[in-house]
Amino acid sequence: MNKATPKSHSSHWGAFTANFDGDALVVQPFKDDPDPSPILRNIPSALAHPSRLSKPLVRKGWLNDGPGPDDRRGRDTYVEMEWDAALDLAAAELSRLGGGTAGQKPRGEVPGKHVFGGSYGWSSAGRFHHAQSQVHRFLNTAFGGYVASVDTYSTAAGSVILDTVVGNATRITREGNWWEHIRDRTELVIAFGGLPLRNLSVSPGGSSQHIARDSIQQGLARGCQFVSVSPLDDDFSAAGNATRIRPRPGTDTALMLGMAHHLHVTGQADEAYLARYTSGWDVLRDYLEGRADDIVKSPEWAEGICGVTAGEIRHLADEAAGKRTLITVAYGLQRAENGEQPVWMALALSAMLGRADQQGAGFTYALGSMGNHGKPPLAVPVPTLPQGRNRSGDFIPVSRISDLLLNPGTTYTYRGEERRYAEINLVYWAGGNPFHHHQDLAKLSEAFARPDTIILHESVGTATTAHADIIFPATITAEREDIGASAGDPYLVPMERLTAPFGEARDDYDIFCALAQRLGCLDMFTEGRSSRGWLEHIYAKTERAMKNRGENPPSFADFMTGGPLKLPVSKTPGMMEAFHRNSETNALTTDSGLIELYSEKVAASGLPGHPAWIEPREWLGGTGAEARPFQLIANQPIGKLHSQLDFGPTSMSHKVDGREVARLNDRDADRLGIAQGDVVKIWNDRGATLAVASPDPGVASGVIQLSTGAWYAPRHLEGHGLVCLNGNPNAVTSDRGASPFSQGCSGQTALVSVSRIEGPVPAVVPHKEILPREDGTEDQLHAAIIDPRGVPLDL
């Protein structure tokens, strides 16, 4: 059978070409990618998977009883409807809540103050069919605004502290040391949280060239040394001979303070650098010496907290002082209570070492967390869809969604400001699965019972879909054309349409157009453009910028069929390079204009005004460990991006019988009578989840590692309560804000108990059965309908 001509396309984990060989989609990685991601193999299975949604669905309880808070969400069934009927229902509800010109005016003086626009931006690498931009543009058009979210689950605490003490977290992340600097110049890399290649597979908007593995191996061959500071050996998998230091989870700040104290008392701290480029060193120095609290932050003190010997701490500090050293911090470290502290302390430690004015030395954030970090920034803008103006002005830190819905009117603090949660009547979500990325999912289920109405665009039936009232089936990237682009990727990728939409699925843009027409605001939303017209319009920005540089980019039509377009990279010095050249002319946008080792803003929030060890409520050295003796690490998965395409072959190859695998130290497993392949229950007071055990000497003692990404499937098990059968760790993780300053996600670690399940083990819930529908069999419906509080329903 003849193959069709390959077409160009892209994903968050890599650019590729694809064509059909008969009924099979054949995917080939981009020819210039030296280390393609295996996640590409998940793509063909997405086209017609049984979990795909083909028609609009409306929750039966909402359809029968109308809008309002409803604790049946998550356990109700759904009725298929024709498009016009479902759109009419949604438009009528949007109009009732003040949307468009056909209904009431927005309530009060603030537009959209009762509407939350949920999305998380990962639904597509395409910049036009970017669901987050689409839903925000629609809500700005229909309501004049909405309650937004700021920051990310991945990096909120780290970004907020770096914005405060360096001036711009985005710039220090994107413009810091590059992989080529590590490859060619760095002598020692100390990677707090490691440099996990699984994270480096992905980047928002796509990563056409995965260069980390080659850069690390070439650096090793040149003589660069790598130290991975992590309880998990595979947090640094690119070099088997990396030095590995295993602190207790959540104690990296104490380890760094011990190093800093040793540098200070041995005279190895670069006092000239500290005086010229930082402010607040005197306060931090007093803290190290114990003048503030009568506790000297010596290596011996640090050993008692982090479990790394004082000798190892001194040796690491001496090594760092004697070499061109780069200190990196992965996102995972700050996804914890007081997650600001390890990021801030790593910055302070690098300042004490000096040499940050040299390429390949100093501090960099998130190098091991995104595939496009560590690459030169682009010299031209990439295409983006204008979202319009949000006149509401209201927002929440992104991981505070449960608190927003459960506690309207309650005050909280963020970046030193007191704020108040709005009362939300409508949640409109497109391009995200909060029942993947949020924590304490029982609490989130309770929160999703509160709004009047939840409207969702989704391509598959997830746990989030099962909490919505109106569900519009959305296309996936293979079913539409777009432009793939990322701020750190050197290629602009035409995303040609590979196949027809599944069933009656529609593009997000077309769904919003249909609603905007019913609400009387179609022209404002579309500006007279079709999807193709918008693509040409947003491409023109990049095209003009390239022409202004004297380059000759292809026309839009030629670009869309011509393969990836190489983009120029910037030669302009980055923020920190310019600052080090002249700290007065190129002062940072901090209060002092310098790197701040002490911050009045942070101190005003109730935290120490300098990097400090603050004991978490859940850690192996605390009193809670007596009842819950394991520290769960809920890190990013290796075979997928978040929960996307969890049913794909690469993702499924990392499961056992469809269930996620949890790794624990082999000696811990022996002590508990747990063998390879046993199903274990991981639980605490927040909930429980099941996973398949895998004893592993590469996991530190007292640690159990279970990656996120399993589709949440809670079921009531006799004798165990409510348990996620599929292995979602967010059944047990904490929904506390990282601190009153950042309110970031603290879900990377949690204290848990672990035990082997005795007797028959319930099967996993297949992806196609996560969302109960009226056309399912009686047995399927009975298995799917459960009370989120864990009480079996009398069916």
Side-chain angles (χ1 to χ4, degrees):
M1 190 174 293
N2 292 329
K3 294 185 179 180
T5 302
K7 294 182 178 180
S8 178
H9 210 75
S10 190
S11 67
H12 293 299
W13 46 92
F16 61 95
T17 58
N19 61 288
F20 279 91
D21 185 356
D23 294 332
L25 184 69
V26 180
V27 171
Q28 293 293 332
F30 178 48
K31 61 181 179 61
D32 291 336
D33 190 344
D35 188 23
S37 170
I39 302 176
L40 288 171
R41 293 197 292 269
N42 283 341
I43 291 173
S45 61
L47 301 187
H49 191 269
S51 65
R52 286 292 305 268
L53 305 179
S54 61
K55 291 179 70 73
L57 296 166
V58 180
R59 186 173 62 82
K60 198 170 184 178
W62 190 93
L63 191 62
N64 291 339
D65 302 331
D70 194 340
D71 63 7
R72 290 173 292 182
R73 292 189 182 110
R75 58 185 177 89
D76 211 344
T77 55
Y78 287 80
V79 179
E80 283 191 348
M81 299 191 73
E82 298 302 320
W83 268 101
D84 282 343
L87 289 165
D88 288 345
L89 280 174
E93 177 65 354
L94 296 175
S95 179
R96 181 184 76 85
L97 294 172
T101 60
Q104 304 170 7
K105 297 293 183 184
R107 299 180 178 184
E109 298 180 1
V110 181
K113 69 176 183 179
H114 56 294
V115 178
F116 180 72
S119 184
Y120 203 49
W122 282 103
S123 68
S124 172
R127 298 300 86 188
F128 172 69
H129 292 292
H130 178 238
Q132 186 180 72
S133 297
Q134 291 282 350
V135 69
H136 291 171
R137 180 178 177 84
F138 173 74
L139 294 176
N140 283 333
T141 302
F143 288 92
Y146 59 95
V147 177
S149 60
V150 297
D151 304 328
T152 68
Y153 281 86
S154 298
T155 179
S159 294
V160 168
I161 193 64
L162 289 176
D163 278 346
T164 305
V165 302
V166 180
N168 191 309
T170 300
R171 292 195 66 185
I172 198 171
T173 299
R174 292 181 178 173
E175 300 174 6
N177 278 283
W178 304 338
W179 285 113
E180 63 186 64
H181 299 155
I182 296 171
R183 179 193 68 201
D184 298 338
R185 296 179 177 85
T186 305
E187 295 172 342
L188 173 64
V189 174
I190 305 176
F192 288 95
L195 292 171
L197 290 177
R198 64 178 181 275
N199 293 351
L200 300 175
S201 286
V202 301
S203 268
S207 183
S208 64
Q209 294 178 315
H210 296 86
I211 62 174
R213 188 193 305 271
D214 285 353
S215 298
I216 290 170
Q217 292 176 350
Q218 290 174 43
L220 281 166
R222 179 182 50 80
C224 180
Q225 296 175 270
F226 290 86
V227 176
S228 177
V229 184
S230 170
L232 307 174
D233 281 3
D234 67 351
D235 269 348
F236 201 116
S237 56
N241 59 343
T243 299
R244 302 183 190 279
I245 295 175
R246 291 178 171 181
R248 292 189 181 102
T251 64
D252 299 77
T253 302
L255 191 156
M256 295 181 211
L257 285 165
M259 292 175 64
H261 180 271
H262 179 70
L263 292 174
H264 169 55
V265 299
T266 57
Q268 295 182 88
D270 191 332
E271 296 285 349
Y273 181 95
L274 291 164
R276 182 174 180 182
Y277 296 112
T278 75
S279 66
W281 163 235
D282 55 333
V283 181
L284 179 58
R285 182 183 59 214
D286 287 349
Y287 177 69
L288 293 174
E289 293 175 351
R291 296 184 185 182
D293 55 8
D294 294 325
I295 300 173
V296 177
K297 309 308 178 299
S298 65
E300 286 76 14
W301 166 85
E303 177 182 345
I305 295 171
C306 69
V308 179
T309 69
E312 288 180 281
I313 294 172
R314 289 193 180 91
H315 177 71
L316 184 59
D318 290 338
E319 287 284 296
K323 292 180 170 64
R324 183 181 291 216
T325 298
L326 177 66
I327 295 177
T328 77
V329 181
Y331 281 166
L333 263 65
Q334 56 80 56
R335 294 182 66 243
E337 193 172 5
N338 301 304
E340 303 87 358
Q341 302 306 320
V343 179
W344 197 4
M345 189 58 218
L347 177 69
L349 185 61
S350 72
M352 293 179 68
L353 294 172
R355 298 188 181 179
D357 56 342
Q358 300 175 2
Q359 287 186 343
F363 166 85
T364 185
Y365 178 52
L367 186 68
S369 303
M370 290 280 194
N372 288 335
H373 292 336
K375 297 179 181 178
L378 299 177
V380 295
V382 297
T384 54
L385 175 67
Q387 297 184 14
R389 181 187 171 205
N390 184 351
R391 293 191 289 117
S392 162
D394 198 4
F395 64 86
I396 61 164
V398 68
S399 64
R400 298 298 93 222
I401 178 65
S402 288
D403 289 344
L404 167 72
L405 299 179
L406 289 170
N407 304 306
T410 301
T411 59
Y412 67 98
T413 57
Y414 172 70
R415 298 193 185 217
E417 176 188 16
E418 184 175 282
R419 302 187 56 82
R420 188 179 301 273
Y421 291 121
E423 182 172 355
I424 299 298
N425 301 111
L426 171 69
V427 173
Y428 205 126
W429 210 290
N433 179 12
F435 279 83
H436 155 69
H437 55 245
H438 202 72
Q439 287 67 54
D440 194 348
L441 294 180
K443 177 182 174 183
L444 183 65
S445 184
E446 181 186 355
F448 264 56
R450 297 301 180 90
D452 288 354
T453 298
I454 298 173
I455 302 176
L456 181 72
H457 296 193
E458 183 55 276
S459 62
V460 288
T462 68
T464 300
T465 320
H467 284 78
D469 300 310
I470 300 174
I471 305 163
F472 292 121
T475 55
I476 60 175
T477 69
E479 298 162 353
R480 56 198 183 221
E481 62 176 4
D482 210 331
I483 301 172
S486 174
D489 192 72
Y491 282 94
L492 196 67
V493 182
M495 298 172 64
E496 298 178 82
R497 182 176 171 179
L498 304 179
T499 187
F502 178 81
E504 297 180 20
R506 296 184 182 181
D507 296 349
D508 294 311
Y509 182 67
D510 292 339
I511 299 169
F512 286 130
C513 284
L515 290 172
Q517 184 175 32
R518 286 165 168 78
L519 294 171
C521 54
L522 178 63
D523 290 343
M524 186 182 302
F525 178 69
T526 67
E527 298 183 22
R529 296 186 182 96
S530 64
S531 293
R532 180 80 176 188
W534 272 110
L535 286 170
E536 185 169 8
H537 177 72
I538 64 176
Y539 173 76
K541 178 173 66 173
T542 305
E543 183 182 25
R544 285 193 300 271
M546 293 185 71
K547 287 180 177 178
N548 289 339
R549 292 174 51 89
E551 302 186 33
N552 186 30
S555 67
F556 170 72
D558 289 343
F559 164 72
M560 288 303 296
T561 58
L565 172 63
K566 188 71 179 287
L567 298 176
V569 297
S570 175
K571 304 297 183 183
T572 304
M575 179 181 76
M576 297 306 291
E577 183 180 350
F579 169 68
H580 283 112
R581 287 183 181 182
N582 191 320
S583 59
E584 295 181 359
T585 303
N586 302 311
L588 302 176
T589 56
T590 59
D591 290 345
S592 63
L594 302 169
I595 299 168
E596 297 195 339
L597 307 184
Y598 176 84
S599 168
E600 291 285 357
K601 290 180 180 177
V602 177
S605 74
L607 296 174
H610 51 79
W613 162 249
I614 306 172
E615 183 172 334
R617 278 171 280 191
E618 296 187 39
W619 73 298
L620 289 175
T623 55
E626 297 173 3
R628 305 288 181 216
F630 280 87
Q631 189 102 50
L632 171 69
I633 296 181
N635 58 0
Q636 292 300 314
I638 190 172
K640 54 185 172 280
L641 165 60
H642 297 314
S643 65
Q644 284 188 37
L645 309 186
D646 184 43
F647 45 72
T650 302
S651 174
M652 295 299 289
S653 70
H654 295 281
K655 301 175 186 280
V656 174
D657 296 329
R659 185 174 277 124
E660 291 291 328
V661 172
R663 298 182 301 148
L664 71 166
N665 184 267
D666 51 347
R667 294 183 180 179
D668 288 338
D670 287 343
R671 177 172 50 82
L672 295 174
I674 295 172
Q676 181 77 34
D678 284 348
V679 174
V680 296
K681 183 177 80 166
I682 302 168
W683 84 99
N684 57 24
D685 293 340
R686 289 180 287 268
T689 193
L690 301 186
V692 177
S694 179
D696 186 343
V699 176
S701 180
V703 170
I704 186 163
Q705 176 268 321
L706 176 63
S707 294
T708 61
W711 286 15
Y712 183 55
R715 299 293 184 268
H716 184 83
L717 299 182
E718 186 175 353
H720 298 284
L722 193 66
V723 181
C724 176
L725 301 187
N726 290 0
N728 189 320
N730 284 327
V732 300
T733 53
S734 171
D735 186 34
R736 281 186 217 106
S739 78
F741 190 64
S742 73
Q743 295 291 348
C745 165
S746 61
Q748 178 86 356
T749 61
L751 284 181
V752 297
S753 297
V754 179
S755 62
R756 183 167 63 92
I757 291 285
E758 304 289 348
V761 176
V764 298
V765 180
H767 296 88
K768 66 181 181 180
E769 295 178 13
I770 296 289
L771 177 68
R773 310 180 215 184
E774 287 281 303
D775 59 355
T777 68
E778 183 177 349
D779 288 343
Q780 287 173 339
L781 291 176
H782 189 280
I785 304 174
I786 57 104
D787 190 300
R789 293 162 296 189
V791 181
L793 296 179
D794 183 9
L795 297 178

